[in-house]
Amino acid sequence: MTTTSTLEQHQEPTTRWWHAPFRMFQTNLRETDVTFDVKAVLDAIEDHGADTWLVNAGGILSFYPTDLDFQTRNPLLARRPGGDLFGDCRRAAKDRGIRLMARMDFSKIAPRIADRFPQWCFRSADGGRQIYQGLVSTCPSAGYYQERTLDVLDEVLGRYDVDGFFCNWFGFNEVDYAGTYHGVCHCDACVAGFAAFAGGARLPAGPDDAEYGRWRAYARETVATLTERIRDHIKSRRPEAALILGDSSDIVFHEANNAIGRPLWPYATSAAVSASRTAHEHTPVLVNSVAFVDMPYRMAAEEPHHFATYFAQTIARGGTPSTYIMGVPGDIPYAGLPAARAITRFHRDHQDLYAGIRPIAPLALIRPPAAGREPADAAGATEEFHGWFDALAEVHLAADVLALEEVARLAVDGSLARFGVLVLPDVGPLPPGVAELLDAFVQAGGTLVATGSSGLSGGRVQLESMPATAELAVVGDVESLKGTYVSAGLESTADSGVYTAPTVPILGARRSMAWHSDIDRWLTIIGPAPYGPPELAHGQRTTDQPGLASRSYGAGSAAYLPWTAGRTYDRLGTREIRDVLLSSVPGARTGPDGDPWGCLRLWAPEQLEHTVHRAADGRVVVHLVNHSGLRRRSYGPPIPITGVRITPPRGLHIAAATALVAGQDVPVTPAGELLLPAIETFDVITITTKENS
């Protein structure tokens, strides 16, 4: 289902170049890449459909003749006539109207510089340096990051009229390229900075220390403050130059990549872009899609269909596509480049559509924070979030992602009111003031769905709208949970060994709660019993605890599942678990007449991901991404999906529709539906209603 609910009036963004749609190509240069043909590279970039080039400038190695004695000039620049590769790139790109972004990396310096300025460097708890391939890691608290980075930027800005900067690996390096853990930095600047931040506390050595959570908060604040300083400094010198970095920069950066040993979550790119676009509608989100399989294997190509999915999901969420290769085009046979080219050129050819596009999903899935939680709790919350995202995507209930940290700001500026439903998947304690704002959301007519630890602090229920009043007990260890279930029946006969309704397991954690007297009970928790040997697998007893309870509050309602339903679905993936989980979301299983949010309903297989936006001209824009080629670790060729239908809600009448990738008009049936052409890798459907035709 897809909503076309009423939204706040769209506000025009500022008019800097990065607020219009653009497409980037990154050539990540090696030391030896100094003699390439700049014109030939620009030919390839233009043919790819990109209009912005990200190329190495300075930091670890300068690809221009730096005069700063604390920088390292690429010794091979002498092989290039004029000795200035970056300058050649700037001049040639400007001649063609291609923007040039300077890639910087301040995370490491040469040993000779580290020996002169040891106070700039990472220092472990035992006083050692962090060294990889002869380079010494620097610390964001110390003078190199805090002061000398501005000198490097000034040198580049003074010589070249660049269109912006990207800073790579910008942060505290606890782990090096090889994955070796070095701990928390103990340089003098960190010792003093953390003590001032944490009231005199000593630095932790690593995640097992009690102060590690506060140190992570210090690290985040240090990086955020430095990012803003760098952004302001660039603006003071060249206002038309953009900074690509964190949330406080001009362009938010996200890297889409695979990694050996990391479980593949197919919606990672989609969720990351959505979270940024929901929170900051007018801030571009650049998705730098990696053409190789992993950092240790930079010359090995990613599977083309996997690579294409990064790009399809990026533009489907309103993000900016970027292609990332090692070297220059033609040096390494990256098999995914033709697929990336096709989607990048599509974005170029339809950039008017992507100008001012905004998300309009009816439901916000709140992303749990990783900061401030124990690693095991953070990992469990991520599983809960993934399980919910998967379930919503599979039944085609359009959802936008919203970070918990951004809820207060959106509530205050009125943006939260565009949602009909907010889902809080095991998000933990709410930040100060957020509970009151969420209660106001419900009281005004919204629906709140919470699971697990959401809105609980020290056993106290933070939300007045919640069906529960207090936490009585938590069962969270694996052994104690075995044999514990949730039944979809209110009057389960499990005591007799007969189950009259679907019964699903609980994985992760469950809570016993005290409840308000005016709740509605929808599911039943069944307590544990022996599960083996088979002869003794009986004796389950229904408890007095509901697996789902809801309560009216003002004009809205709040529902609570006192167990980790999303984590259970993420780990097991059965349809019965999904159905039980989604029973908490009004409208998730009903047709248009039963849904209070006025949805376009998508009828399609589970493997078709969809997103819904409103274009600046009022058209509804539906992106469809085909996941049928999903493998355990990657993607193969997708199977074309046919027979997809879109049904408008009652009161909405479709005047015309076009499938942009298929390149054809979509006829409106006598019943007012759209019957779409076959969806291969992706398609984009633009819908004009009679109301905005």
Side-chain angles (χ1 to χ4, degrees):
M1 298 175 217
T2 302
T3 189
T4 56
S5 58
T6 303
L7 299 179
E8 72 283 0
Q9 291 295 315
H10 177 65
Q11 296 179 352
E12 288 297 321
T14 57
T15 56
R16 297 298 183 192
W17 67 261
W18 55 89
H19 290 109
F22 68 97
R23 295 147 298 280
M24 183 173 284
F25 197 102
Q26 179 186 179
T27 52
N28 201 346
L29 303 181
R30 300 156 292 187
E31 182 179 30
T32 53
D33 292 323
V34 293
T35 60
F36 65 80
D37 185 338
V38 172
K39 292 183 179 180
V41 170
L42 283 167
D43 286 342
I45 289 172
E46 287 189 295
D47 180 69
H48 193 79
D51 57 9
T52 307
W53 182 12
L54 176 60
V55 66
N56 302 58
I60 291 176
L61 205 62
S62 295
F63 285 77
Y64 68 95
T66 179
D67 291 325
L68 299 173
D69 63 358
F70 55 87
Q71 292 289 278
T72 301
R73 186 184 298 189
N74 186 339
L76 302 183
L77 278 178
R79 297 180 181 178
R80 187 171 190 90
D84 187 357
L85 173 59
F86 188 76
D88 292 344
C89 295
R90 170 66 277 185
R91 286 184 290 273
K94 189 173 183 179
D95 288 344
R96 301 217 191 175
I98 299 293
R99 299 183 194 92
L100 191 78
M101 303 285 286
R103 182 186 187 277
M104 316 298 291
D105 193 328
F106 301 115
S107 67
K108 298 167 185 64
I109 52 178
R112 64 174 179 82
I113 303 171
D115 290 342
R116 288 176 56 206
F117 304 101
Q119 69 273 22
W120 293 353
C121 302
F122 171 96
R123 187 189 306 161
S124 65
D126 61 7
R129 289 177 174 177
Q130 185 183 125
I131 301 173
Y132 188 81
Q133 294 294 325
L135 295 171
V136 182
S137 292
T138 54
C139 175
S141 293
Y144 181 61
Y145 264 100
Q146 293 290 330
E147 300 168 13
R148 294 300 174 232
T149 55
L150 303 182
D151 295 335
V152 180
L153 295 173
D154 279 342
E155 185 177 58
V156 175
L157 287 165
R159 297 187 186 186
Y160 315 102
D161 54 344
V162 295
D163 295 293
F165 293 89
F166 164 67
C167 299
N168 185 59
W169 204 304
F170 195 84
F172 288 81
N173 296 332
E174 295 177 74
V175 180
D176 65 20
Y177 272 108
T180 302
Y181 185 72
H182 294 268
V184 169
C185 180
H186 281 63
C187 73
D188 291 345
C190 277
V191 171
F194 182 71
F197 178 85
R202 293 187 176 184
L203 283 164
D208 293 335
D209 287 5
E211 292 293 342
Y212 184 74
R214 278 211 287 181
W215 178 81
R216 291 297 302 161
Y218 163 76
R220 288 193 303 275
E221 182 173 299
T222 300
V223 170
T225 302
L226 180 57
T227 298
E228 291 187 16
R229 281 185 59 217
I230 289 175
R231 179 179 180 273
D232 291 344
H233 186 80
I234 293 170
K235 292 295 175 290
S236 71
R237 294 289 308 271
R238 186 170 169 80
E240 60 272 29
L243 175 64
I244 304 175
L245 204 55
D247 291 340
S248 59
S249 58
D250 300 304
I251 302 169
V252 175
F253 178 83
H254 172 72
E255 185 168 288
N257 57 34
N258 209 347
I260 296 169
R262 184 180 69 201
L264 170 62
W265 187 49
Y267 300 114
T269 300
S270 190
V273 178
S274 180
S276 289
R277 291 284 293 161
T278 303
H280 305 282
E281 183 179 320
H282 302 312
T283 302
V285 184
L286 184 128
V287 179
N288 207 34
S289 298
V290 180
F292 46 85
V293 293
D294 198 1
M295 275 198 301
Y297 297 97
R298 294 181 188 266
M299 315 310 163
E302 180 58 272
E303 163 62 45
H305 299 290
H306 195 158
F307 199 46
T309 302
Y310 296 152
F311 288 84
Q313 288 187 319
T314 295
I315 68 171
R317 291 287 182 174
T320 297
S322 175
T323 304
Y324 166 22
I325 67 169
M326 289 296 299
V328 296
D331 281 2
I332 302 166
Y334 290 123
L337 290 182
R341 174 182 180 270
I343 300 178
T344 302
R345 287 166 68 99
F346 175 87
H347 188 269
R348 178 200 65 188
D349 295 343
H350 297 280
Q351 66 178 18
D352 288 347
L353 178 70
Y354 290 101
I357 197 170
R358 66 190 193 278
I360 58 169
L363 184 151
L365 179 61
I366 308 301
R367 186 180 67 189
R373 304 185 75 167
E374 294 295 326
D377 290 342
T382 297
E383 288 183 318
E384 184 77 10
F385 172 76
H386 286 180
W388 271 94
F389 194 108
D390 292 350
L392 295 167
E394 289 161 5
V395 302
H396 308 302
L397 182 62
D400 292 328
V401 177
L402 176 60
L404 180 64
E405 304 92 307
E406 299 287 353
V407 168
R409 186 176 59 80
L410 265 65
V412 171
D413 71 17
S415 300
L416 201 65
R418 80 167 171 93
F419 296 106
V421 183
L422 301 180
V423 176
L424 280 66
D426 198 25
V427 301
L430 301 175
V434 170
E436 292 80 4
L437 294 169
L438 291 177
D439 282 334
F441 168 83
V442 177
Q443 193 162 36
T447 296
L448 186 70
V449 179
T451 72
S453 64
S454 297
L456 302 179
S457 178
R460 180 178 65 89
V461 176
Q462 296 173 284
L463 291 154
E464 289 187 6
S465 57
M466 283 273 278
T469 61
E471 177 185 88
L472 304 178
V474 183
V475 179
D477 64 283
V478 174
E479 284 302 317
S480 297
L481 273 178
K482 286 180 178 178
T484 305
Y485 301 90
V486 170
S487 172
L490 285 175
E491 297 180 357
S492 172
T493 54
D495 297 16
S496 63
V498 177
Y499 297 84
T500 58
T503 302
V504 302
I506 296 177
L507 279 71
R510 82 167 182 91
R511 285 168 164 76
S512 295
M513 309 293 292
W515 303 91
H516 282 286
S517 59
D518 58 347
I519 65 170
D520 291 318
R521 295 169 177 253
W522 300 101
L523 303 171
T524 303
I525 290 181
I526 301 175
Y531 54 87
E535 293 83 354
L536 300 181
H538 61 84
Q540 283 86 358
R541 293 288 183 269
T542 55
T543 71
D544 63 354
Q545 290 288 314
L548 167 63
S550 64
R551 176 174 178 250
S552 296
Y553 185 80
S557 66
Y560 178 55
L561 298 95
W563 55 293
T564 47
R567 198 184 315 183
T568 302
Y569 186 59
D570 182 65
R571 293 183 181 180
L572 296 177
T574 69
R575 188 175 63 180
E576 284 191 342
I577 297 171
R578 187 183 73 191
D579 289 348
V580 166
L581 178 153
L582 291 174
S583 66
S584 62
V585 182
R589 310 295 300 174
T590 62
D593 291 342
D595 187 353
W597 295 292
C599 293
L600 292 172
R601 180 143 192 191
L602 182 74
W603 304 88
E606 296 175 3
Q607 292 77 14
L608 195 65
E609 179 188 2
H610 87 296
T611 63
V612 184
H613 290 74
R614 178 82 70 180
D617 61 7
R619 286 179 295 172
V620 176
V621 184
V622 180
H623 283 76
L624 303 165
V625 181
N626 187 344
H627 288 274
S628 64
L630 180 63
R631 297 169 175 162
R632 188 169 64 91
R633 294 286 187 186
S634 186
Y635 280 79
I639 300 169
I641 296 178
T642 59
V644 176
R645 292 182 293 130
I646 292 177
T647 303
R650 185 172 53 190
L652 185 73
H653 304 286
I654 298 175
T658 304
L660 297 180
V661 175
Q664 64 185 67
D665 292 335
V666 181
V668 183
T669 69
E673 292 186 320
L674 297 176
L675 181 60
L676 306 185
I679 313 298
E680 297 191 9
T681 299
F682 80 110
D683 211 329
V684 181
I685 314 300
T686 59
I687 301 171
T688 301
T689 65
K690 291 183 179 179
E691 290 77 10
N692 62 27
S693 60

PDB file of all heavy atoms in Angstrom, residues 122-129 182 184 186:
ATOM      1  N   PHE A 122      47.454   9.286  16.869  1.00  0.00           N
ATOM      2  CA  PHE A 122      46.758   8.341  17.742  1.00  0.00           C
ATOM      3  C   PHE A 122      47.758   7.727  18.711  1.00  0.00           C
ATOM      4  O   PHE A 122      48.877   7.363  18.323  1.00  0.00           O
ATOM      5  CB  PHE A 122      46.107   7.241  16.892  1.00  0.00           C
ATOM      6  CG  PHE A 122      45.541   6.100  17.695  1.00  0.00           C
ATOM      7  CD1 PHE A 122      44.196   6.081  18.025  1.00  0.00           C
ATOM      8  CD2 PHE A 122      46.342   5.049  18.119  1.00  0.00           C
ATOM      9  CE1 PHE A 122      43.662   5.034  18.765  1.00  0.00           C
ATOM     10  CE2 PHE A 122      45.819   4.001  18.858  1.00  0.00           C
ATOM     11  CZ  PHE A 122      44.477   3.988  19.180  1.00  0.00           C
ATOM     12  N   ARG A 123      47.332   7.587  19.956  1.00  0.00           N
ATOM     13  CA  ARG A 123      48.165   6.930  20.958  1.00  0.00           C
ATOM     14  C   ARG A 123      47.294   5.940  21.718  1.00  0.00           C
ATOM     15  O   ARG A 123      46.249   6.309  22.271  1.00  0.00           O
ATOM     16  CB  ARG A 123      48.759   7.952  21.928  1.00  0.00           C
ATOM     17  CG  ARG A 123      49.781   7.353  22.907  1.00  0.00           C
ATOM     18  CD  ARG A 123      50.162   8.361  23.970  1.00  0.00           C
ATOM     19  NE  ARG A 123      50.623   9.617  23.404  1.00  0.00           N
ATOM     20  CZ  ARG A 123      50.675  10.766  24.079  1.00  0.00           C
ATOM     21  NH1 ARG A 123      50.260  10.812  25.343  1.00  0.00           N
ATOM     22  NH2 ARG A 123      51.107  11.858  23.498  1.00  0.00           N
ATOM     23  N   SER A 124      47.690   4.709  21.746  1.00  0.00           N
ATOM     24  CA  SER A 124      46.931   3.687  22.463  1.00  0.00           C
ATOM     25  C   SER A 124      47.113   3.846  23.963  1.00  0.00           C
ATOM     26  O   SER A 124      47.918   4.664  24.430  1.00  0.00           O
ATOM     27  CB  SER A 124      47.383   2.292  22.028  1.00  0.00           C
ATOM     28  OG  SER A 124      48.724   2.073  22.405  1.00  0.00           O
ATOM     29  N   ALA A 125      46.380   3.058  24.731  1.00  0.00           N
ATOM     30  CA  ALA A 125      46.457   3.156  26.189  1.00  0.00           C
ATOM     31  C   ALA A 125      47.860   2.865  26.707  1.00  0.00           C
ATOM     32  O   ALA A 125      48.267   3.387  27.746  1.00  0.00           O
ATOM     33  CB  ALA A 125      45.446   2.216  26.832  1.00  0.00           C
ATOM     34  N   ASP A 126      48.613   2.049  25.957  1.00  0.00           N
ATOM     35  CA  ASP A 126      49.989   1.745  26.384  1.00  0.00           C
ATOM     36  C   ASP A 126      51.014   2.657  25.713  1.00  0.00           C
ATOM     37  O   ASP A 126      52.222   2.415  25.800  1.00  0.00           O
ATOM     38  CB  ASP A 126      50.328   0.278  26.123  1.00  0.00           C
ATOM     39  CG  ASP A 126      50.239  -0.097  24.642  1.00  0.00           C
ATOM     40  OD1 ASP A 126      50.038   0.804  23.798  1.00  0.00           O
ATOM     41  OD2 ASP A 126      50.347  -1.299  24.328  1.00  0.00           O
ATOM     42  N   GLY A 127      50.539   3.692  25.011  1.00  0.00           N
ATOM     43  CA  GLY A 127      51.441   4.682  24.429  1.00  0.00           C
ATOM     44  C   GLY A 127      51.859   4.417  23.005  1.00  0.00           C
ATOM     45  O   GLY A 127      52.609   5.214  22.424  1.00  0.00           O
ATOM     46  N   GLY A 128      51.399   3.332  22.399  1.00  0.00           N
ATOM     47  CA  GLY A 128      51.822   2.979  21.051  1.00  0.00           C
ATOM     48  C   GLY A 128      51.064   3.736  19.969  1.00  0.00           C
ATOM     49  O   GLY A 128      49.963   4.245  20.180  1.00  0.00           O
ATOM     50  N   ARG A 129      51.679   3.797  18.781  1.00  0.00           N
ATOM     51  CA  ARG A 129      51.043   4.403  17.622  1.00  0.00           C
ATOM     52  C   ARG A 129      50.191   3.376  16.882  1.00  0.00           C
ATOM     53  O   ARG A 129      50.373   2.167  17.043  1.00  0.00           O
ATOM     54  CB  ARG A 129      52.088   4.963  16.660  1.00  0.00           C
ATOM     55  CG  ARG A 129      52.815   6.205  17.149  1.00  0.00           C
ATOM     56  CD  ARG A 129      53.887   6.625  16.138  1.00  0.00           C
ATOM     57  NE  ARG A 129      54.500   7.901  16.506  1.00  0.00           N
ATOM     58  CZ  ARG A 129      55.503   8.460  15.836  1.00  0.00           C
ATOM     59  NH1 ARG A 129      56.006   7.863  14.760  1.00  0.00           N
ATOM     60  NH2 ARG A 129      55.998   9.620  16.230  1.00  0.00           N
ATOM     61  N   HIS A 182      42.669  -1.278  18.036  1.00  0.00           N
ATOM     62  CA  HIS A 182      43.726  -0.571  18.759  1.00  0.00           C
ATOM     63  C   HIS A 182      43.222   0.142  20.006  1.00  0.00           C
ATOM     64  O   HIS A 182      44.019   0.678  20.772  1.00  0.00           O
ATOM     65  CB  HIS A 182      44.401   0.450  17.839  1.00  0.00           C
ATOM     66  CG  HIS A 182      45.160  -0.167  16.710  1.00  0.00           C
ATOM     67  ND1 HIS A 182      46.505  -0.469  16.776  1.00  0.00           N
ATOM     68  CD2 HIS A 182      44.747  -0.558  15.475  1.00  0.00           C
ATOM     69  CE1 HIS A 182      46.901  -1.008  15.627  1.00  0.00           C
ATOM     70  NE2 HIS A 182      45.851  -1.073  14.823  1.00  0.00           N
ATOM     71  N   VAL A 184      40.776   2.939  22.293  1.00  0.00           N
ATOM     72  CA  VAL A 184      40.453   4.364  22.321  1.00  0.00           C
ATOM     73  C   VAL A 184      41.748   5.166  22.346  1.00  0.00           C
ATOM     74  O   VAL A 184      42.700   4.804  23.039  1.00  0.00           O
ATOM     75  CB  VAL A 184      39.595   4.683  23.564  1.00  0.00           C
ATOM     76  CG1 VAL A 184      39.462   6.178  23.776  1.00  0.00           C
ATOM     77  CG2 VAL A 184      38.228   4.020  23.432  1.00  0.00           C
ATOM     78  N   HIS A 186      44.490   7.730  23.366  1.00  0.00           N
ATOM     79  CA  HIS A 186      44.890   8.325  24.644  1.00  0.00           C
ATOM     80  C   HIS A 186      45.909   9.446  24.442  1.00  0.00           C
ATOM     81  O   HIS A 186      46.766   9.692  25.313  1.00  0.00           O
ATOM     82  CB  HIS A 186      45.477   7.255  25.574  1.00  0.00           C
ATOM     83  CG  HIS A 186      44.442   6.414  26.262  1.00  0.00           C
ATOM     84  ND1 HIS A 186      43.573   5.598  25.574  1.00  0.00           N
ATOM     85  CD2 HIS A 186      44.130   6.283  27.587  1.00  0.00           C
ATOM     86  CE1 HIS A 186      42.774   4.981  26.447  1.00  0.00           C
ATOM     87  NE2 HIS A 186      43.092   5.381  27.660  1.00  0.00           N
TER      88      HIS A 186
END
